[in-house]
Amino acid sequence: MTAVSIHARGLTVLAPDGRTMVQPLDLDLVGGETVALIGESGSGKTLTAKSLIGLLPPGFRAQGEVRYGEQAFELSMPDAAWRPLRGRTVSLLLQDPFTSLSPVHRCGEQIAWTIEAATGRRLRGAARTSAIAARLAEVRLPERVARAYPHELSGGMRQRVAIAAALASDPVLLIADEPTTALDASNQAEILDLLHGIQTARGMAVLLISHDLGLVRGRTDRVLVMRSGEIVERGDTATVLAAPEHAYTRALIEVDPAMRALAADDGSTADGSADDGSTPALAAGTDRPTAVLEASGIVKRFGERTVLDDVSIALRPGEVTGVVGESGSGKSTLARCIAGLEREDGGEIRFEGVVLAPGRGSRTPAQMQIVFQDPYSSLNPMMSIGAILREALHVARRPAADVAVLLETVGLPADFAGKRPAQLSGGQRQRVAIARALAPRPSVLICDESVSALDVSVQAQVLALLAQLRDELGLAILFISHDLAVVREIADTVTVLWDGRVVEQGECARVLTAPEHEYTRLLIAAGRRENPRAAASDLASKGTR
Amino acid sequence: MLAVRVLGMLAILLVLSFIVFSMMYLAPGDLVKTLLGNRPASPEAVAAIREQYHLDDPFLVQYFTWLGGVLTGDLGESIRLQVPVADAIASRLPVTLALCAVAFVLALAVSIPLGVASAVHAGRPVDRVGSALGIVGLSAPTFAVGLLLLYVFAYYVPIFPVYGAGDGGLDTLYHLVLPGITLALGLGAIVLKLTRTALLRELDADYVTSARARGIDDRVVHRLALRNALIPIVTGASLVLTFLVGGTVLAETTFALPGIGLLLQDSVLFKDIAVVQALTLLIAVAIAVIALLADLAYLLLDPRVRAKGVPA
């Protein structure tokens, strides 16, 4: 395929109320090139992407012009005029592989639709099977996936199917809108490397939309940084990341845990013993408080499958205990067993030395509280923040007047009591969820992926809040995350779970600088967004478990 | 799973039969007087009737006599019609089944395409017309619609018959048009609303955006969204069907159709317990079977349900 160049001129997006969501911008891409558009949620990067394929949300309007090769198009043209362009010229890969495929159709069929739409011919029999198999092979999936339904595949595999479906029409430009945000760290790198490989082989242009600077590093040629609908910086990826000119870019780099981890690594000595100072030193032999909660030998099965196999963990006051692992490693199940939301099948959980029976009945609110991942669904949208907190205070037999105290504890102004969840940003909602969890003055706070749904800068603020609560209230925090970089930020000790087993456990600084188990090394590599494929095959070849 | 369901259903039927039997027993009215009519009520005649229909037995004995009969395959005899209950029902059932079928097909044939069009063109004229029809259908009572249709299409513009079930075949179908529309209007409105809501939600889903971004034709996109929306639509349709089975009595009364609805009404008024019992159970079984079929349809429609097994 000859390289086609894509040029957008004066691309502007207007909201239904006439506000300018994306300021006029120019964008140039050449086949074989990847350009990253970086920005936080709400910066207008997704609107920019959708305007290039004519799929803006209802009411939004685009202005400007785009040239795909020789042909020029008005971005404001009606839907019917966009249709012939979609698929064959430009295709879009969405963020969430769990929703971007139809759940009731087989994967092969969904890929075939794209091929049929692009060629205008119905595919039948053997021709159909082999065409689908070829597309699956390109994303390194076996032929049998064609017969599978999306729910039978893992997130990473689903995103591969989505890529195969998006590319089956051989577009000259692929817009990938946060294609890995919903995936685990190791899957993220694999998917991006896969995209990169296909793009090079095809000579296709890729516009990668992301909020994550770490992901962009080493995988894109140029980068555009967007803030409030405006491009504040553009240039070669390496140059921009090494010497950012705009304060916003610098701030983005600073709050990115993966980027910070890199900086920390560069500063540490080769033997990995240096402490980067971000975690309190926990040198062996120093006095550590006795554990407030101890889980030992926890076993949990779902039917035939053993999800937790002999997992032990101790939570101490004033310490953050990190648990890392990919989805399916059992880390959330562990949190739920400790919180009594699941009943463990074996082992025991002791709170201040007393054994807690499995299930919720044996626990009191003042022992432990849990903060979930998604602050959008964990707060009742019909209740004001004040009502949500008063309800929690009532259960804890505390006066309703303490609402202001709770809000202050999590760094929110007292007038937030009158607001509703919909009026709050993601970070503010998560603060409310934390405030609610603090109402019964718990000894243990369980954070199950509590910062994973947040933008990096907001993530940093919530992490700082958790660290502050740990120090000021002496909370024992169980911090579950798939993101090693985030755990590194906050945890004092870390437990690495793999396939329901503890593969490594110890002081956070030690485990992350001098990991003993290969799987931990693999996770660390993935966390840095390096190529984990080598590490993975390495691990597989040694047959380590 | 299936066995559990069937057992549960049998338990429900047993309880239901007991409740209906008690209510018929407690209801005012005297069977003897109804049977004798204007004839003189000599003590011998009264005693003979009471003897024949076990009216002097205690309540529970009467119930178990009936239950024993049913379990051995004998539904009893209709006091009013003086024929076996099974025959009485069998002669009435075809009209009711035909009426249900006409109403169901009419309701779905109009409401699903209109619901799809409303969702695809949300906010446009077709959607407005659909919404207006939906509100009329939902709010108009069945008997009022029936009377109105009779007035307009059988009296002022006499193109349809006023009453009766016709002589079979096409003539019966002709006779069932007005009652069919009467029943279909309210039920179709429910399916219309369900279809529109379900499809709107699916059209908003990521996989639809993804399909459109891949250049897939709008017709194919709508089809795949509709395929995903089928579960709520099938649920709605099955609820409508269960309602139809019990709800034909109003239409049958309005249009004087000799179906089981009318039979039920007459039998209740006459205290013809055996017929009432048999009809109630028949309707209950039909509803349970429809619900079971809907659940089995989920298995066909959704591979995720299939993976988890039959819902209990």
Side-chain angles (χ1 to χ4, degrees):
Chain A
M1 186 190 292
T2 52
V4 179
S5 58
I6 297 114
H7 307 280
R9 291 286 169 267
L11 186 158
T12 314
V13 180
L14 302 171
D17 59 8
R19 274 182 308 142
T20 308
M21 304 304 289
V22 176
Q23 303 288 344
L25 66 89
D26 294 348
L27 187 68
D28 300 281
L29 284 124
V30 188
E33 189 186 44
T34 303
V35 171
L37 183 58
I38 298 287
E40 294 185 85
S41 51
S43 63
K45 57 190 196 306
T46 295
L47 288 176
T48 307
K50 291 199 163 165
S51 73
L52 286 170
I53 191 166
L55 286 174
L56 285 173
F60 283 81
R61 285 175 299 128
Q63 290 171 356
E65 191 194 80
V66 64
R67 292 180 70 87
Y68 287 109
E70 296 303 303
Q71 294 169 287
F73 304 93
E74 288 294 322
L75 286 172
S76 56
M77 66 187 177
D79 192 61
W82 275 109
R83 271 178 223 161
L85 278 179
R86 292 189 198 129
R88 270 164 286 190
T89 306
V90 52
S91 193
L92 176 67
L93 178 64
L94 294 173
Q95 171 175 350
D96 190 351
F98 293 87
T99 57
S100 62
L101 296 168
S102 165
V104 300
H105 293 94
R106 293 181 197 276
C107 293
E109 195 178 348
Q110 308 200 32
I111 295 172
W113 292 334
T114 319
I115 306 176
E116 288 172 352
T119 56
R121 276 199 312 271
R122 291 277 295 168
L123 284 168
R124 283 178 208 289
R128 181 185 166 97
T129 313
S130 66
I132 294 169
R135 300 300 174 171
L136 286 171
E138 193 177 14
V139 292
R140 295 187 221 132
L141 284 177
E143 205 176 325
R144 62 174 169 82
V145 170
R147 301 274 310 147
Y149 288 102
H151 75 270
E152 295 166 343
L153 305 176
S154 70
M157 286 170 89
R158 288 191 214 195
Q159 194 60 308
R160 282 161 193 261
V161 172
I163 292 174
L167 294 182
S169 51
D170 300 318
V172 297
L173 169 66
L174 176 71
I175 302 169
D177 187 6
E178 303 262 9
T180 62
T181 309
L183 302 175
D184 284 337
S186 62
N187 271 324
Q188 286 185 342
E190 273 186 50
I191 291 291
L192 285 181
D193 291 334
L194 176 72
L195 266 180
H196 195 71
I198 296 174
Q199 172 211 21
T200 315
R202 289 184 171 205
M204 176 179 73
V206 172
L207 178 62
L208 178 68
I209 314 285
S210 179
H211 68 270
D212 195 334
L213 273 167
L215 275 180
V216 162
R217 192 172 177 269
R219 289 199 180 83
T220 57
D221 303 292
R222 287 182 298 120
V223 60
L224 286 81
V225 181
M226 189 169 226
R227 180 199 189 182
S228 315
E230 231 177 320
I231 300 293
V232 295
E233 185 157 4
R234 60 167 84 205
D236 285 344
T237 307
T239 319
V240 170
L241 291 191
E245 281 178 12
H246 197 277
Y248 180 68
T249 317
R250 276 199 295 277
L252 270 185
I253 294 176
E254 240 164 61
V255 295
D256 189 320
M259 301 295 285
R260 229 173 352 199
L262 274 174
D265 282 356
D266 294 344
S268 63
T269 49
D271 63 7
S273 62
D275 192 346
D276 61 22
S278 64
T279 52
L282 288 169
T286 52
D287 283 339
R288 289 176 68 191
T290 45
V292 58
L293 189 141
E294 269 177 302
S296 48
I298 301 298
V299 177
K300 173 72 189 169
R301 292 183 202 91
F302 288 127
E304 298 282 292
R305 217 158 56 86
T306 304
V307 206
L308 289 176
D309 189 1
D310 193 20
V311 174
S312 302
I313 198 163
L315 310 180
R316 295 168 205 280
E319 273 188 32
V320 174
T321 307
V323 175
V324 286
E326 297 178 86
S327 53
S329 62
K331 56 188 193 309
S332 277
T333 311
L334 176 64
R336 296 176 68 85
C337 283
I338 290 176
L341 299 171
E342 295 278 0
R343 293 166 169 271
E344 64 272 16
D345 297 314
E348 59 179 29
I349 296 171
R350 287 171 178 272
F351 185 85
E352 290 174 345
V354 181
V355 178
L356 299 175
R360 251 180 343 150
S362 59
R363 288 153 171 84
T364 68
Q367 287 175 340
M368 63 196 81
Q369 286 291 314
I370 187 162
V371 178
F372 293 100
Q373 170 170 3
D374 187 1
Y376 291 84
S377 57
S378 65
L379 299 177
N380 185 339
M382 304 304 286
M383 285 167 76
S384 72
I385 304 303
I388 289 170
L389 295 179
R390 273 196 298 279
E391 187 182 56
L393 287 168
H394 178 72
V395 171
R397 296 170 199 280
R398 286 176 63 181
D402 282 2
V403 165
V405 181
L406 281 180
L407 284 173
E408 197 198 327
T409 316
V410 296
L412 292 175
D415 65 349
F416 267 55
K419 298 192 178 197
R420 282 178 198 280
Q423 295 167 276
L424 271 52
S425 71
Q428 289 168 342
R429 285 184 220 206
Q430 201 58 298
R431 281 172 194 264
V432 172
I434 293 171
R436 179 176 57 181
L438 293 178
R441 300 202 172 93
S443 310
V444 174
L445 186 66
I446 301 168
C447 298
D448 188 3
E449 298 274 12
S450 303
V451 300
S452 307
L454 306 174
D455 275 344
V456 275
S457 62
V458 181
Q459 213 174 48
Q461 291 163 13
V462 174
L463 285 178
L465 170 67
L466 287 174
Q468 181 198 338
L469 294 173
R470 167 194 65 191
D471 298 338
E472 286 177 5
L473 305 177
L475 279 178
I477 299 180
L478 178 64
F479 189 86
I480 312 276
S481 179
H482 66 273
D483 192 340
L484 213 70
V486 168
V487 170
R488 176 189 203 113
E489 279 297 300
I490 186 162
D492 301 297
T493 64
V494 65
T495 299
V496 183
L497 275 188
W498 183 38
D499 206 11
R501 292 160 194 241
V502 175
V503 295
E504 193 154 3
Q505 203 161 33
E507 199 183 314
C508 185
R510 200 275 302 154
V511 171
L512 298 189
T513 45
E516 281 165 9
H517 195 278
E518 259 114 329
Y519 180 69
T520 316
R521 262 170 240 156
L522 168 65
L523 269 184
I524 293 172
R528 278 185 203 144
R529 281 84 180 189
E530 285 163 3
N531 182 2
R533 186 163 287 282
S537 58
D538 208 32
L539 188 62
S541 67
K542 286 182 186 160
T544 326
R545 204 195 132 91
Chain B
M1 277 316 197
L2 210 62
V4 174
R5 259 190 99 124
V6 171
L7 281 178
M9 207 175 100
L10 289 177
I12 290 172
L13 289 180
L14 198 67
V15 172
L16 192 69
S17 73
F18 184 76
I19 292 174
V20 174
F21 199 95
S22 340
M23 291 199 305
M24 290 300 290
Y25 182 84
L26 293 172
D30 186 358
L31 185 63
V32 181
K33 278 187 192 149
T34 323
L35 269 179
L36 288 173
N38 292 331
R39 281 167 289 174
S42 71
E44 294 78 36
V46 171
I49 289 171
R50 298 197 76 88
E51 167 74 34
Q52 188 189 346
Y53 297 110
H54 310 287
L55 293 183
D56 291 323
D57 290 353
F59 167 70
L60 279 179
V61 174
Q62 287 192 34
Y63 175 70
F64 283 111
T65 309
W66 171 84
L67 188 65
V70 170
L71 290 180
T72 53
D74 177 17
L75 288 171
E77 186 139 317
S78 165
I79 304 173
R80 186 172 65 98
L81 304 168
Q82 298 294 322
V83 293
V85 169
D87 295 351
I89 292 177
S91 67
R92 302 294 196 96
L93 202 53
V95 174
T96 299
L97 285 181
L99 177 60
C100 286
V102 168
F104 190 59
V105 169
L106 268 178
L108 295 195
V110 175
S111 65
I112 290 184
L114 192 57
V116 171
S118 297
V120 170
H121 306 287
R124 306 251 278 279
V126 98
D127 186 25
R128 304 248 172 79
V129 171
S131 293
L133 276 178
I135 290 168
V136 170
L138 277 177
S139 46
T142 308
F143 68 90
V145 174
L147 288 178
L148 183 74
L149 288 179
L150 272 179
Y151 209 62
V152 176
F153 292 107
Y155 180 73
Y156 269 114
V157 192
I159 48 174
F160 285 107
V162 178
Y163 65 89
D167 312 324
L170 281 179
D171 189 46
T172 299
L173 199 62
Y174 177 55
H175 277 76
L176 289 179
V177 170
L178 285 189
I181 292 176
T182 307
L183 279 174
L185 197 64
L187 306 176
I190 298 172
V191 178
L192 169 72
K193 289 272 170 205
L194 280 171
T195 306
R196 181 179 180 273
T197 314
L199 191 60
L200 265 183
R201 205 183 53 216
E202 296 301 330
L203 285 175
D204 205 31
D206 268 1
Y207 66 85
V208 168
T209 310
S210 164
R212 294 184 65 204
R214 275 140 59 198
I216 292 166
D217 196 64
D218 274 359
R219 273 201 343 274
V220 181
V221 173
H222 295 159
R223 211 163 57 218
L224 95 98
L226 185 61
R227 174 69 183 73
N228 273 284
L230 269 185
I231 286 209
I233 296 175
V234 166
T235 311
S238 74
L239 282 176
V240 159
L241 196 55
T242 55
F243 182 77
L244 252 184
V245 171
T248 54
V249 62
L250 279 176
E252 286 182 18
T253 312
T254 310
F255 292 91
L257 286 172
I260 60 167
L262 213 53
L263 178 64
L264 183 62
Q265 193 200 1
D266 293 343
S267 304
V268 169
L269 292 178
F270 201 87
K271 287 200 95 170
D272 197 348
I273 295 191
V275 179
V276 174
Q277 286 284 71
L279 281 177
T280 324
L281 294 190
L282 179 70
I283 291 169
V285 169
I287 289 173
V289 168
I290 291 165
L292 180 67
L293 286 179
D295 282 354
L296 290 177
Y298 297 161
L299 288 183
L300 263 182
L301 293 175
D302 195 332
R304 291 164 296 184
V305 179
R306 207 142 65 220
K308 288 198 197 107
V310 190

